[in-house]
Amino acid sequence: MKHADDGRDESLAEVFWSVARRLRHLTHETLEPIGITPGQSRAVAVLMRHGVMRLSELSDHLRIAPRSTTEVVDGLQERGLVGRRPDPADRRATLVALTQAGQDIGEAIRTARAAEADRFFADLDADDRATLARILRTLKA
């Protein structure tokens, strides 16, 4: 028998989106003291992982429109976290790279997000975490 108050009436998708909302809220709380938006945080993470790249490549990695990428990079550049320069292979293209301050913020975000994840997933044992990670990687593909 299903009971409305125990969550059994929720579909798998509803439960998934509820967890995603909790994670998104936690991310906003984690990033607020650092003074960076989630979109900027994602851009910093991509640049840390892949290094210097064209704005168009960053757009592809972030899966957002080039105009939105420009806005994200503008905000990061205003804070001194990235620099722009012409691409020597194609002067029409612009390269984006993290500054040292950007690298430092990236490390701070990485540390804060790891602590956030540890707290969020603390109720799961190691086997459950591994199973969840495997399932999410399958769905992500």
Side-chain angles (χ1 to χ4, degrees):
M1 179 180 200
K2 292 182 179 181
H3 302 284
D5 61 347
D6 68 6
R8 292 184 199 169
D9 285 340
E10 289 181 291
S11 71
L12 181 59
E14 290 169 326
V15 173
F16 177 86
W17 287 115
S18 177
V19 171
R21 277 190 299 277
R22 280 188 59 216
L23 272 170
R24 193 174 322 113
H25 180 73
L26 189 56
T27 295
H28 283 278
E29 287 179 354
T30 300
L31 295 175
E32 188 174 8
I34 298 172
I36 196 165
T37 68
Q40 291 171 338
S41 172
R42 287 179 55 228
V44 168
V46 167
L47 291 167
M48 285 188 68
R49 193 170 30 249
H50 300 285
V52 178
M53 65 178 56
R54 289 181 177 183
L55 277 171
S56 59
E57 291 174 280
L58 184 57
S59 292
D60 291 344
H61 280 285
L62 296 174
R63 296 183 182 166
I64 61 176
R67 178 182 170 150
S68 297
T69 302
T70 298
E71 291 172 4
V72 168
V73 171
D74 286 348
L76 291 171
Q77 189 171 22
E78 286 171 14
R79 294 199 47 210
L81 303 178
V82 299
R84 288 180 165 115
R85 65 177 184 261
D87 183 341
D90 180 354
R91 292 273 184 207
R92 297 169 296 166
T94 300
L95 295 176
V96 180
L98 289 173
T99 62
Q100 185 57 55
Q103 291 281 345
D104 294 345
I105 285 284
E107 289 300 329
I109 292 168
R110 185 180 287 162
T111 299
R113 297 291 304 269
E116 162 194 308
D118 286 345
R119 285 189 305 274
F120 188 83
F121 295 109
D123 291 340
L124 299 179
D125 64 28
D127 288 341
D128 285 344
R129 283 182 184 212
T131 299
L132 180 59
R134 180 187 54 77
I135 290 167
L136 292 175
R137 285 184 186 105
T138 299
L139 294 174
K140 183 181 171 187

